[in-house]
Amino acid sequence: MKNIETIKDKYTSIIYNTNNLKDLDKVRISAVGKKGEISCMMQEIGKMSIDQKKQMGPLLNSLKNDIINQIDQKKKELENIAIDKALENESIDMSLPINLSEGTLHPVQQVMEEMAVIFSSMGFSIALGPDIEDDFHNFTALNFPPGHPARDMHDTFFMSSKNDEIKKVLRTHTSPVQIRTMIKDEPPIRIIAPGRTFRCDSDQTHTPMFHQVEGLYIDKGIHMGHLKGVLMDFVSKFFETEVEVQFRPHHFPFTEPSAEMDVRYERIGSSIKIGQGGDWMEILGCGMVHPNVLRACGVDPDEYQGFAFGMGVDRLAMLKYGMPDLRDMFSSDTRWLKHYGFGALQQANLATGLS
Ligand code: DAH
């Protein structure tokens, strides 16, 4: 058997001279791995006489432990060096000048911020929910009965699931955030919920991923008058001009009564002028929260009422900023982003104008 001290010195020197984690792992395998040198020496103990075993056993064990300790120690050192190096490379020089002509805020982000500014001035706060939802929050609690055709109407992307798992979907609307908020918080509730939504649909005015902003207002004695007031105030502030609107009866499973809100508009050539003209364009769905929805969330409909609304952010961005095709929004074309994007440091606010 080779001299234990010689082997110890050999690995101590190899470990000392190793300067990356990959090589260190190779050293570990060649020394104490299953077929490593020290492991093989330990296997030979079996062939020894009892006296030799008594002598060599503890020596080999201590050699193995010593080498493992040295490797662990070295590993920690190398990991620390790697972290220091990464931190050095990732540090930001705050004194560098900002190149404001590169990098822009996407119009969808801009419009969401404009909406947040307007609704927060009315006392709404922001709530968020997950992109991957379960059937309960996306449909059942929102008063879509099982097997109801409205579930298909939503062109839902279903996630594959094993038999016993709860069926998951990519949320088809931001309305499930209403459910999550009402289950979590006590009324009064005043939230908007911006976020990504998904439906299996694609053409000039539809993309499989799009954005919505949901609104929910729950309190005592709330009625359609409050709903109309809030939404009329919102559109005038959003389009930064007086906008005439109409509420048309509609059906949504989660509201009763339900309506769609249209704004007056006119098409001049290829551009659209909001607030004037003889045509009406639908921009959002709304209604009084259905008592079944309140009950599903543990809210007593005899005590509390409320209204809800939901609107497509991308469509509103198109209308306000005049993009002709919705699909361009998500094609990551830097020429488009430069043209339609907003200054990264521009902050939407009601005092100096939204955009
Ligand atoms: N979730 C509806 C949709 O995606 C939009 C909507 C309509 C939301 C009416 C609401 C509402 O909260 O009250 O088509």
Coordinates of all heavy atoms in Angstrom, one line a residue, residues 145-207:
P145 N -71.9 28.5 -14.8 CA -72.2 27.2 -14.3 C -71.3 26.1 -15.1 O -70.9 26.4 -16.2 CB -73.6 27.0 -14.7 CG -74.1 28.3 -15.2 CD -72.9 29.1 -15.5
P146 N -71.1 24.9 -14.5 CA -70.3 23.9 -15.1 C -70.9 23.6 -16.5 O -72.1 23.5 -16.6 CB -70.3 22.7 -14.2 CG -70.8 23.2 -12.9 CD -71.6 24.5 -13.2
G147 N -70.1 23.5 -17.5 CA -70.6 23.1 -18.8 C -71.3 24.2 -19.6 O -71.8 24.0 -20.7
H148 N -71.3 25.4 -19.0 CA -72.0 26.5 -19.6 C -71.3 26.9 -20.9 O -70.0 27.0 -20.9 CB -72.1 27.7 -18.6 CG -73.0 28.7 -19.1 ND1 -72.7 29.7 -19.9 CD2 -74.4 29.0 -18.8 CE1 -73.7 30.5 -20.2 NE2 -74.7 30.1 -19.4
P149 N -72.0 27.2 -22.0 CA -71.3 27.6 -23.2 C -70.4 28.8 -23.1 O -69.4 29.0 -23.9 CB -72.4 27.8 -24.2 CG -73.7 27.8 -23.5 CD -73.4 27.1 -22.2
A150 N -70.6 29.7 -22.1 CA -69.8 30.9 -21.9 C -68.4 30.5 -21.7 O -67.4 31.2 -22.0 CB -70.3 31.7 -20.8
R151 N -68.1 29.3 -21.1 CA -66.7 28.9 -20.9 C -66.0 28.7 -22.2 O -64.8 29.0 -22.3 CB -66.7 27.6 -20.1 CG -67.2 27.7 -18.6 CD -67.2 26.4 -17.9 NE -67.7 26.6 -16.6 CZ -67.1 26.2 -15.5 NH1 -65.9 25.7 -15.5 NH2 -67.6 26.4 -14.3
D152 N -66.7 28.1 -23.2 CA -66.1 27.9 -24.5 C -66.0 29.3 -25.2 O -65.0 29.5 -25.9 CB -67.0 27.0 -25.4 CG -67.1 25.7 -24.8 OD1 -66.2 25.3 -24.0 OD2 -68.2 25.0 -25.0
M153 N -66.9 30.2 -25.0 CA -66.9 31.5 -25.6 C -65.6 32.2 -25.3 O -65.1 33.0 -26.1 CB -68.0 32.3 -24.9 CG -68.7 33.3 -25.7 SD -70.2 33.8 -24.8 CE -69.5 34.8 -23.5
H154 N -65.0 31.8 -24.2 CA -63.7 32.5 -23.8 C -62.5 31.9 -24.5 O -61.4 32.4 -24.3 CB -63.5 32.4 -22.3 CG -64.2 33.5 -21.6 ND1 -63.7 34.1 -20.4 CD2 -65.3 34.2 -21.9 CE1 -64.5 35.1 -20.0 NE2 -65.4 35.2 -20.9
D155 N -62.6 30.9 -25.4 CA -61.5 30.3 -26.1 C -60.3 30.0 -25.2 O -59.2 30.5 -25.4 CB -61.0 31.3 -27.2 CG -62.0 31.5 -28.3 OD1 -62.7 30.5 -28.7 OD2 -62.3 32.6 -28.7
T156 N -60.7 29.3 -24.1 CA -59.7 29.1 -23.0 C -58.5 28.2 -23.4 O -58.7 27.2 -24.1 CB -60.4 28.4 -21.9 OG1 -61.7 29.1 -21.7 CG2 -59.6 28.4 -20.6
F157 N -57.3 28.6 -23.0 CA -56.2 27.7 -23.0 C -56.2 26.9 -21.7 O -55.9 27.4 -20.6 CB -54.8 28.5 -23.0 CG -54.5 29.2 -24.3 CD1 -54.6 30.6 -24.4 CD2 -54.2 28.5 -25.4 CE1 -54.3 31.3 -25.6 CE2 -53.9 29.1 -26.6 CZ -53.9 30.5 -26.7
F158 N -56.4 25.6 -21.8 CA -56.4 24.7 -20.7 C -55.0 24.2 -20.5 O -54.4 23.8 -21.5 CB -57.4 23.6 -20.8 CG -58.8 24.0 -20.7 CD1 -59.6 24.3 -21.9 CD2 -59.4 24.2 -19.5 CE1 -60.9 24.7 -21.8 CE2 -60.8 24.7 -19.4 CZ -61.5 24.9 -20.6
M159 N -54.5 24.1 -19.3 CA -53.2 23.5 -19.0 C -53.4 22.0 -18.9 O -54.5 21.6 -18.4 CB -52.6 24.0 -17.7 CG -52.7 25.5 -17.4 SD -51.4 26.4 -18.2 CE -50.0 25.9 -17.3
S160 N -52.4 21.2 -19.4 CA -52.6 19.8 -19.2 C -52.5 19.4 -17.8 O -51.7 20.0 -17.0 CB -51.6 19.0 -20.1 OG -50.3 19.5 -19.7
S161 N -53.3 18.5 -17.3 CA -53.3 18.1 -15.9 C -53.5 16.6 -15.8 O -54.0 16.0 -16.6 CB -54.5 18.8 -15.2 OG -55.7 18.4 -15.7
K162 N -53.0 16.1 -14.7 CA -53.2 14.7 -14.4 C -54.6 14.6 -13.8 O -55.2 15.5 -13.4 CB -52.2 14.2 -13.3 CG -50.7 14.4 -13.8 CD -49.8 13.5 -13.1 CE -48.3 13.8 -13.5 NZ -47.8 15.0 -12.7
N163 N -55.1 13.3 -13.9 CA -56.6 13.1 -13.5 C -57.0 13.8 -12.3 O -58.0 14.5 -12.2 CB -56.8 11.6 -13.4 CG -56.7 11.0 -14.8 OD1 -56.7 11.7 -15.8 ND2 -56.4 9.7 -14.8
D164 N -56.2 13.6 -11.2 CA -56.7 14.1 -9.9 C -56.3 15.5 -9.6 O -56.7 16.0 -8.5 CB -56.2 13.1 -8.8 CG -54.7 12.9 -8.9 OD1 -54.1 13.3 -10.0 OD2 -54.0 12.4 -7.9
E165 N -55.7 16.2 -10.5 CA -55.3 17.6 -10.2 C -56.4 18.5 -10.5 O -57.2 18.3 -11.4 CB -54.1 17.9 -11.1 CG -52.7 17.7 -10.5 CD -51.6 18.0 -11.5 OE1 -51.9 18.4 -12.6 OE2 -50.5 17.9 -11.1
I166 N -56.4 19.7 -9.8 CA -57.4 20.7 -10.1 C -57.0 21.3 -11.5 O -55.9 21.6 -11.8 CB -57.3 21.8 -9.1 CG1 -57.7 21.3 -7.7 CG2 -58.2 23.0 -9.4 CD1 -57.5 22.3 -6.6
K167 N -58.0 21.4 -12.4 CA -57.8 21.9 -13.7 C -57.3 23.3 -13.7 O -58.0 24.2 -13.1 CB -59.1 21.8 -14.5 CG -58.8 21.3 -15.9 CD -59.9 21.6 -16.9 CE -60.8 20.4 -17.2 NZ -62.0 20.8 -17.8
K168 N -56.2 23.6 -14.4 CA -55.6 25.0 -14.4 C -55.8 25.5 -15.8 O -55.8 24.8 -16.8 CB -54.1 24.9 -14.1 CG -53.8 24.5 -12.7 CD -53.8 25.8 -11.8 CE -53.7 25.5 -10.3 NZ -52.5 25.0 -9.8
V169 N -56.0 26.9 -15.9 CA -56.2 27.5 -17.2 C -55.3 28.8 -17.2 O -54.9 29.3 -16.1 CB -57.6 28.0 -17.4 CG1 -58.6 26.8 -17.4 CG2 -58.1 29.0 -16.3
L170 N -54.9 29.3 -18.4 CA -54.3 30.6 -18.5 C -55.5 31.5 -18.3 O -56.5 31.4 -19.1 CB -53.6 30.8 -19.8 CG -52.4 30.0 -20.0 CD1 -51.7 30.3 -21.4 CD2 -51.3 30.3 -18.9
R171 N -55.5 32.5 -17.4 CA -56.7 33.2 -17.1 C -57.2 33.9 -18.4 O -56.4 34.5 -19.1 CB -56.5 34.2 -16.0 CG -55.5 35.3 -16.3 CD -55.5 36.3 -15.2 NE -54.5 37.3 -15.4 CZ -54.0 38.2 -14.5 NH1 -54.6 38.2 -13.3 NH2 -53.1 39.0 -14.7
T172 N -58.5 33.8 -18.6 CA -59.1 34.4 -19.8 C -59.5 35.8 -19.6 O -59.8 36.5 -20.6 CB -60.3 33.6 -20.2 OG1 -61.2 33.6 -19.1 CG2 -60.0 32.2 -20.6
H173 N -59.5 36.3 -18.4 CA -59.8 37.7 -18.1 C -59.2 38.0 -16.7 O -58.7 37.1 -16.0 CB -61.3 37.9 -18.1 CG -62.2 36.9 -17.4 ND1 -63.5 37.0 -17.3 CD2 -61.9 35.8 -16.6 CE1 -64.0 36.0 -16.6 NE2 -63.0 35.3 -16.1
T174 N -59.3 39.3 -16.3 CA -58.7 39.7 -15.0 C -59.8 39.6 -13.9 O -59.5 39.9 -12.8 CB -58.1 41.1 -15.0 OG1 -59.0 41.9 -15.8 CG2 -56.7 41.1 -15.6
S175 N -61.0 39.2 -14.3 CA -62.1 39.1 -13.3 C -61.8 38.2 -12.1 O -62.3 38.4 -11.0 CB -63.4 38.7 -14.0 OG -63.7 39.6 -15.0
P176 N -61.0 37.1 -12.3 CA -60.7 36.3 -11.1 C -60.0 37.1 -10.0 O -60.1 36.6 -8.8 CB -59.7 35.2 -11.6 CG -59.5 35.4 -13.0 CD -60.5 36.4 -13.5
V177 N -59.4 38.2 -10.3 CA -58.8 39.0 -9.2 C -59.9 39.6 -8.3 O -59.7 39.8 -7.1 CB -57.9 40.1 -9.8 CG1 -57.1 40.8 -8.6 CG2 -56.9 39.5 -10.8
Q178 N -61.1 39.8 -8.9 CA -62.2 40.2 -8.0 C -62.5 39.2 -6.9 O -62.6 39.5 -5.8 CB -63.5 40.2 -8.8 CG -63.8 41.3 -9.8 CD -65.2 41.1 -10.4 OE1 -66.1 40.7 -9.8 NE2 -65.3 41.6 -11.7
I179 N -62.5 37.9 -7.4 CA -62.8 36.8 -6.4 C -61.7 36.7 -5.4 O -62.0 36.7 -4.2 CB -62.8 35.5 -7.2 CG1 -63.9 35.6 -8.3 CG2 -63.1 34.3 -6.3 CD1 -65.3 35.8 -7.9
R180 N -60.4 36.8 -5.8 CA -59.3 36.7 -4.8 C -59.4 37.8 -3.8 O -59.2 37.6 -2.6 CB -58.0 36.7 -5.6 CG -57.8 35.4 -6.3 CD -56.4 35.4 -7.0 NE -56.3 34.1 -7.6 CZ -55.9 33.0 -7.0 NH1 -55.5 33.0 -5.8 NH2 -55.8 31.8 -7.7
T181 N -59.7 39.0 -4.3 CA -59.8 40.2 -3.4 C -60.9 40.1 -2.4 O -60.8 40.3 -1.2 CB -59.9 41.5 -4.2 OG1 -58.9 41.5 -5.2 CG2 -59.8 42.7 -3.4
M182 N -62.1 39.7 -2.9 CA -63.3 39.6 -2.0 C -63.1 38.5 -1.0 O -63.6 38.6 0.1 CB -64.6 39.4 -2.8 CG -65.1 40.7 -3.4 SD -66.7 40.5 -4.1 CE -66.4 39.8 -5.7
I183 N -62.4 37.4 -1.4 CA -62.2 36.3 -0.4 C -61.2 36.8 0.7 O -61.3 36.5 1.9 CB -61.7 35.0 -1.1 CG1 -62.9 34.4 -1.9 CG2 -61.1 34.0 -0.1 CD1 -62.5 33.2 -2.7
K184 N -60.2 37.6 0.3 CA -59.1 38.0 1.2 C -59.5 39.2 2.0 O -59.2 39.2 3.2 CB -57.9 38.3 0.3 CG -56.6 38.6 1.0 CD -55.4 38.6 0.1 CE -55.5 39.7 -1.0 NZ -55.2 41.0 -0.6
D185 N -60.2 40.2 1.4 CA -60.4 41.5 2.2 C -61.9 41.6 2.5 O -62.8 41.2 1.8 CB -60.0 42.7 1.3 CG -58.5 42.6 1.0 OD1 -57.7 41.9 1.7 OD2 -58.1 43.3 0.0
E186 N -62.1 42.4 3.6 CA -63.4 42.8 4.0 C -63.8 44.0 3.2 O -63.0 44.9 2.9 CB -63.4 43.2 5.5 CG -63.1 42.0 6.5 CD -64.3 41.1 6.6 OE1 -65.4 41.6 6.7 OE2 -64.1 39.9 6.6
P187 N -65.1 44.1 2.9 CA -65.6 45.4 2.3 C -65.5 46.5 3.3 O -65.5 46.2 4.5 CB -67.0 45.1 1.9 CG -67.3 43.7 2.2 CD -66.2 43.2 3.0
P188 N -65.4 47.8 2.9 CA -65.5 48.3 1.5 C -64.2 47.9 0.7 O -63.1 47.9 1.3 CB -65.6 49.8 1.7 CG -65.0 50.1 3.0 CD -65.3 48.9 3.9
I189 N -64.4 47.7 -0.6 CA -63.3 47.3 -1.5 C -63.3 48.2 -2.7 O -64.4 48.5 -3.2 CB -63.5 45.8 -1.9 CG1 -63.2 44.9 -0.8 CG2 -62.5 45.5 -3.1 CD1 -63.6 43.4 -1.1
R190 N -62.2 48.7 -3.0 CA -62.1 49.6 -4.2 C -60.7 49.3 -4.9 O -59.7 49.8 -4.5 CB -62.1 51.1 -3.8 CG -63.1 51.9 -4.6 CD -63.0 53.3 -4.2 NE -63.4 53.6 -2.8 CZ -63.4 54.8 -2.3 NH1 -62.9 55.9 -2.9 NH2 -63.8 55.0 -1.0
I191 N -60.8 48.4 -5.9 CA -59.5 48.0 -6.5 C -59.6 48.1 -8.0 O -60.7 47.9 -8.6 CB -59.1 46.6 -6.1 CG1 -60.2 45.5 -6.4 CG2 -58.6 46.5 -4.7 CD1 -59.8 44.5 -7.4
I192 N -58.4 48.2 -8.7 CA -58.3 47.9 -10.1 C -57.2 46.8 -10.2 O -56.3 46.8 -9.4 CB -58.0 49.1 -11.0 CG1 -56.7 49.8 -10.6 CG2 -59.1 50.1 -11.1 CD1 -56.1 50.6 -11.7
A193 N -57.4 45.9 -11.2 CA -56.5 44.8 -11.3 C -56.0 44.8 -12.8 O -56.7 44.3 -13.6 CB -57.1 43.5 -11.0
P194 N -54.8 45.3 -13.0 CA -54.2 45.3 -14.4 C -53.5 43.9 -14.5 O -53.0 43.4 -13.6 CB -53.2 46.4 -14.4 CG -52.8 46.6 -13.0 CD -53.9 46.1 -12.1
G195 N -53.4 43.4 -15.8 CA -52.6 42.2 -16.0 C -52.8 41.6 -17.3 O -53.6 42.1 -18.2
R196 N -52.0 40.5 -17.5 CA -52.1 39.8 -18.8 C -53.2 38.8 -18.8 O -53.5 38.2 -17.8 CB -50.8 39.0 -18.9 CG -49.7 39.6 -19.6 CD -48.6 38.7 -19.9 NE -47.9 38.3 -18.7 CZ -46.7 38.7 -18.4 NH1 -46.0 39.3 -19.2 NH2 -46.1 38.3 -17.2
T197 N -53.8 38.6 -20.0 CA -54.9 37.6 -20.1 C -54.7 36.8 -21.4 O -53.9 37.3 -22.3 CB -56.3 38.3 -20.1 OG1 -56.2 39.4 -21.0 CG2 -56.6 38.8 -18.8
F198 N -55.3 35.7 -21.5 CA -55.0 34.8 -22.7 C -56.2 34.2 -23.3 O -57.1 33.7 -22.5 CB -54.1 33.7 -22.2 CG -52.9 34.2 -21.4 CD1 -52.9 34.5 -20.1 CD2 -51.7 34.3 -22.1 CE1 -51.8 34.9 -19.4 CE2 -50.5 34.8 -21.4 CZ -50.6 35.1 -20.0
R199 N -56.3 34.2 -24.6 CA -57.4 33.5 -25.3 C -56.9 33.0 -26.6 O -56.0 33.7 -27.2 CB -58.6 34.4 -25.5 CG -59.3 34.7 -24.2 CD -60.6 35.5 -24.5 NE -61.0 36.2 -23.3 CZ -62.0 37.0 -23.1 NH1 -62.7 37.3 -24.2 NH2 -62.2 37.6 -22.0
C200 N -57.4 31.9 -27.1 CA -56.9 31.3 -28.3 C -57.5 32.0 -29.5 O -58.6 31.6 -30.0 CB -57.3 29.8 -28.3 SG -56.6 28.9 -29.6
D201 N -56.9 33.2 -29.9 CA -57.5 34.0 -30.9 C -56.4 34.9 -31.5 O -55.6 35.5 -30.7 CB -58.6 34.9 -30.2 CG -59.7 35.4 -31.2 OD1 -59.5 35.1 -32.3 OD2 -60.6 36.0 -30.7
S202 N -56.4 35.1 -32.8 CA -55.4 36.0 -33.4 C -55.8 36.5 -34.7 O -56.1 35.8 -35.7 CB -54.1 35.2 -33.5 OG -53.1 36.1 -34.1
D203 N -56.0 37.9 -34.8 CA -56.2 38.6 -36.0 C -55.8 40.1 -35.8 O -55.1 40.3 -34.8 CB -57.6 38.4 -36.6 CG -58.7 38.9 -35.6 OD1 -58.3 39.9 -34.8 OD2 -59.8 38.4 -35.5
Q204 N -56.2 41.0 -36.7 CA -55.8 42.3 -36.6 C -56.1 43.0 -35.2 O -55.4 43.9 -34.7 CB -56.4 43.2 -37.7 CG -55.6 44.5 -37.9 CD -56.2 45.2 -39.1 OE1 -57.0 44.7 -39.9 NE2 -55.8 46.5 -39.3
T205 N -57.2 42.6 -34.6 CA -57.7 43.2 -33.4 C -57.6 42.2 -32.2 O -58.2 42.5 -31.1 CB -59.1 43.8 -33.5 OG1 -60.0 42.8 -34.0 CG2 -59.1 45.0 -34.4
H206 N -57.1 41.0 -32.4 CA -56.9 40.1 -31.3 C -55.5 39.4 -31.3 O -55.0 39.1 -32.3 CB -57.9 38.9 -31.4 CG -59.4 39.4 -31.4 ND1 -60.1 39.7 -32.5 CD2 -60.2 39.5 -30.3 CE1 -61.3 40.1 -32.1 NE2 -61.4 40.0 -30.8
T207 N -55.0 39.3 -30.1 CA -53.7 38.6 -29.9 C -53.9 37.5 -28.8 O -54.7 37.8 -27.9 CB -52.6 39.5 -29.5 OG1 -53.0 40.3 -28.4 CG2 -52.1 40.4 -30.7

